[in-house]
Amino acid sequence: MFDTRLKDAASQVQAHLDRVLGELDDLPVVQAMHYASAGGKRLRAFLVLESARLHGIAPDQAIWAATAVEALHAYSLVHDDLPCMDDDDLRRGLPTVHVKWDQATAVLAGDALQTLAFELLARVEASNDPAVRAELVLTLARASGAAGMVKGQALDIAAETAATPLTLEQITELQAGKTGALIEWSACAGAVLAGADTSALSIYAQKLGLAFQIWDDVLDVEGDAETVGKAVGKDADAGKATFVSLLGLEAAKTRAETLVKEACSALDCYGDEAETLRQAARFVISRHS
Amino acid sequence: MFDTRLKDAASQVQAHLDRVLGELDDLPVVQAMHYASAGGKRLRAFLVLESARLHGIAPDQAIWAATAVEALHAYSLVHDDLPCMDDDDLRRGLPTVHVKWDQATAVLAGDALQTLAFELLARVEASNDPAVRAELVLTLARASGAAGMVKGQALDIAAETAATPLTLEQITELQAGKTGALIEWSACAGAVLAGADTSALSIYAQKLGLAFQIWDDVLDVEGDAETVGKAVGKDADAGKATFVSLLGLEAAKTRAETLVKEACSALDCYGDEAETLRQAARFVISRHS
């Protein structure tokens, strides 16, 4: 069920991105936006669509918020891959935007993908209720700006030149910003769209987001580059603190498993209706890429 | 009157930026956001505050939209200055962000300034009416994204490697995106805040924006670096088409003067109340920096 829903989310988001990017002039920067926002697991879009379903929001409405968060996620990847940031040549097994085009195009495509995310949320199709549209914009801005995702990224860059490796507390704060905030926004979006309480989904997503990042660190040690779709062993080689280096491999896996159980329990109030979201949590610590 | 109002707008925006950036953790990226958003003429903020005044919107409400557009303008300057873009070491007579910090910090500070712009517009303080907040977000996104400012910037970069210089029509389209769209958004913001018709302010701003850019090209030829606050003669040296290279210096000046007259006439419906905005239009073609 989860597999099917995740695939459905991916194809719906791709079709919607094709539509909204198709409204723009066919410039290289728009082609780069299209390229950068294609592919990926679409976990964030899935979380939006699934939490929307849980609250009785129609998929053709929720798709706007789902596409917005994927556009925002894509912007962060394009900029993270830049030579002055993580300097990655490969993303999802394909050349990164600055390799395929150039750095200027990568900066601009990332910039415009961020703008697109807010445009999609502010369009009337995202919700008939303007208060909901404004709330979606406000919460996404807080999740992705200097108090959220950018903060996590900045802490990550600072850690590379720090005299001592990060502590567990610091790396948890870093990841809560870098990955957690967008995952939480996605899982809560359905409740926001319905004007419902977000607290259960919020706890679910915080646990899920942390488990997700711990598992990324596990894959960096255990995975192979071809399956993971990007360079592995990079963090360990760079002497960076990771959940695995701080906890040890087995304890990191156990921690991720506990977090997933807690994430699933947080959804008790939704009963069986939330089973696909629970499956998503279990998927996070079983994935190979 | 215009001079005083412009200075007032500048100090109000600076105080407001200090306040909202003061809410964030004191990280290098936040310091860079502060540095990048300090100074400048604040013409965009002035246009927001003045069009708001014209529509009876209180300054302490309009300041949110005024600060938002300055945050967005600051993001565009930080990214434009990057080595892979215009590669400028100097901005307003001071080292650019990537020179004072590094490129990664410049990318992230620009990213977060863009996010901040949308956050400020979506906050309830920007307008009690959520429909107005959503409209401000939507119109700013359209003005600044791949159909607006980023499009202008992308066309500008493409022009540098094009086989033939741009035509007058092409450079007008380029500038309408690169500079014009944000100026138009600013001038219309007061009407949007009041739920009023934006068409007169829109025409005013389109004329003003084009005059502004023509005058920038005039300054690139006639100005000296110290007064202008950045390198001059750069465009001419690079063989780039400018309004001056296409029209000639005197005809470019005449064109700017005509546009300013047309901009002033567009505000006839506002009577004497719009005199400060007319003064602003005249200022654009009398400035030395």
Side-chain angles (χ1 to χ4, degrees), chain A:
Chain A
M1 193 147 96
F2 163 69
D3 281 359
T4 316
R5 291 260 175 86
L6 186 64
K7 276 189 198 123
D8 281 356
S11 62
Q12 283 169 46
V13 162
Q14 195 56 57
H16 202 69
L17 275 168
D18 292 346
R19 179 187 151 187
V20 295
L21 290 171
E23 292 172 5
L24 297 166
D25 290 352
D26 187 33
L27 298 166
V29 68
V30 176
Q31 291 160 12
M33 289 168 75
H34 220 136
Y35 179 84
S37 59
K41 285 182 289 295
R42 306 296 194 194
L43 181 64
R44 291 158 191 79
F46 161 84
L47 290 170
V48 173
L49 293 170
E50 201 57 26
S51 69
R53 198 185 56 77
L54 212 52
H55 290 88
I57 301 291
D60 65 349
Q61 183 193 336
I63 192 66
W64 290 85
T67 306
V69 75
E70 291 292 341
L72 200 124
H73 179 53
Y75 123 64
S76 75
L77 299 183
V78 175
H79 283 188
D80 283 3
D81 288 338
L82 284 168
C84 67
M85 305 275 278
D86 290 352
D87 194 15
D88 278 311
D89 292 345
L90 211 60
R91 166 73 63 185
R92 296 164 186 160
L94 292 170
T96 45
V97 174
H98 66 272
V99 170
K100 196 168 163 73
W101 282 270
D102 51 47
Q103 288 188 51
T105 304
V107 169
L108 287 175
D111 287 344
L113 280 167
Q114 177 177 183
T115 321
L116 178 67
F118 292 109
E119 181 185 339
L120 294 177
L121 295 179
R123 280 174 71 152
V124 70
E125 297 97 324
S127 171
N128 277 328
D129 183 348
V132 168
R133 301 202 295 277
E135 181 70 9
L136 290 170
V137 169
L138 183 62
T139 50
L140 186 65
R142 287 186 170 151
S144 62
M149 188 180 73
V150 166
K151 181 184 170 185
Q153 185 65 18
L155 292 173
D156 202 16
I157 288 173
E160 282 171 22
T161 53
T164 50
L166 295 185
T167 63
L168 191 59
E169 194 183 339
Q170 288 171 322
I171 207 168
T172 304
E173 185 194 6
L174 184 163
Q175 295 299 348
K178 195 175 170 184
T179 319
L182 269 204
I183 287 181
E184 186 175 348
W185 184 90
S186 305
C188 292
V192 172
L193 282 165
D197 179 33
T198 59
S199 53
L201 287 164
S202 181
I203 294 167
Y204 160 81
Q206 284 170 23
K207 308 279 187 187
L208 173 74
L210 190 51
F212 187 92
Q213 192 54 50
I214 292 175
W215 205 254
D216 258 10
D217 288 350
V218 168
L219 287 175
D220 191 62
V221 174
E222 287 200 329
D224 67 277
E226 203 175 325
T227 312
V228 178
K230 61 181 176 185
V232 295
K234 227 180 133 171
D235 292 342
D237 294 348
K240 275 171 80 170
T242 68
F243 288 106
V244 172
S245 73
L246 288 163
L247 295 169
L249 185 59
E250 288 313 310
K253 287 184 182 178
T254 306
R255 181 92 190 93
E257 283 160 17
T258 306
L259 285 163
V260 164
K261 277 181 197 146
E262 291 170 353
C264 292
S265 304
L267 301 180
D268 283 354
C269 58
Y270 289 108
D272 290 346
E273 282 296 304
E275 196 47 36
T276 315
L277 285 175
R278 292 190 196 95
Q279 288 173 6
R282 291 181 208 115
F283 157 76
V284 157
I285 56 162
S286 65
R287 68 199 159 94
H288 302 291
S289 68

Side-chain angles (χ1 to χ4, degrees), chain B residues 103-154:
Chain B
Q103 288 187 51
T105 304
V107 170
L108 286 175
D111 287 344
L113 280 166
Q114 175 177 184
T115 321
L116 179 67
F118 292 110
E119 180 185 340
L120 294 176
L121 295 179
R123 282 174 69 151
V124 70
E125 297 97 324
S127 170
N128 278 328
D129 184 347
V132 167
R133 301 201 295 277
E135 181 70 9
L136 289 170
V137 169
L138 183 63
T139 50
L140 185 64
R142 287 184 170 152
S144 62
M149 190 181 71
V150 166
K151 180 183 170 185
Q153 186 64 20

Side-chain angles (χ1 to χ4, degrees), chain B residues 166-181:
Chain B
L166 297 184
T167 64
L168 192 59
E169 193 183 341
Q170 287 170 323
I171 206 166
T172 303
E173 185 195 7
L174 185 164
Q175 295 299 348
K178 195 175 170 184
T179 319

